[in-house]
Amino acid sequence: QVQLVESGGGLVQAGGSLRLSCAASRSIFSINAMGWYRQAPGKQRELVASISNGGSTNYRDSVKGRFTISRDNAKNTVYLQMNSLEPEDTAVYYCNAVPGRWGLPDYWGLGTQVTVSS
């Protein structure tokens, strides 16, 4: 059973925008922080942005000013607005959710492909 489902990926030209969404299953009782990771071929998975339960955000330097992470706790959904996309942003983007209870493994989505053409 998939508990995190990403959507919104696709092909976009450099300078364009995409909005990723990640919806958590209603069956998930409690979630703390949520975030977006990405992994390009031959590269390690890296944190793109995260947001705490209280709304505090964190971004990797390369996306600051271009990406915005937000969440709607009532909908159990996290978003990533990506503007001014660059070819270097091309990767599979994964949604992540940290359980609210200690000792449980993180939830992960299956990923959505983002491809930015030159």
Side-chain angles (χ1 to χ4, degrees):
Q1 183 179 6
V2 178
Q3 295 180 283
L4 297 178
V5 180
E6 303 101 334
S7 63
L11 175 64
V12 65
Q13 295 182 356
S17 298
L18 288 172
R19 184 176 178 86
L20 305 183
S21 299
C22 172
S25 298
R26 296 177 183 177
S27 62
I28 297 179
F29 176 73
S30 180
I31 293 176
N32 194 351
M34 300 186 74
W36 289 94
Y37 290 72
R38 67 187 181 188
Q39 187 168 26
K43 302 290 186 179
Q44 294 185 6
R45 186 173 298 189
E46 62 185 21
L47 175 67
V48 179
S50 63
I51 183 167
S52 72
N53 206 345
S56 298
T57 59
N58 185 44
Y59 301 90
R60 70 181 303 105
D61 288 342
S62 62
V63 307
K64 287 181 179 178
R66 300 189 297 121
F67 292 8
T68 302
I69 189 171
S70 61
R71 67 190 293 174
D72 186 337
N73 290 337
K75 297 180 179 179
N76 276 347
T77 301
V78 64
Y79 306 93
L80 185 68
Q81 178 67 46
M82 304 186 294
N83 298 326
S84 301
L85 283 163
E86 304 168 354
E88 292 74 20
D89 297 316
T90 296
V92 177
Y93 284 68
Y94 297 92
C95 181
N96 165 262
V98 179
R101 184 181 297 274
W102 283 90
L104 297 179
D106 287 7
Y107 298 101
W108 289 94
L110 296 179
T112 184
Q113 177 70 47
V114 172
T115 302
V116 184
S117 62
S118 301

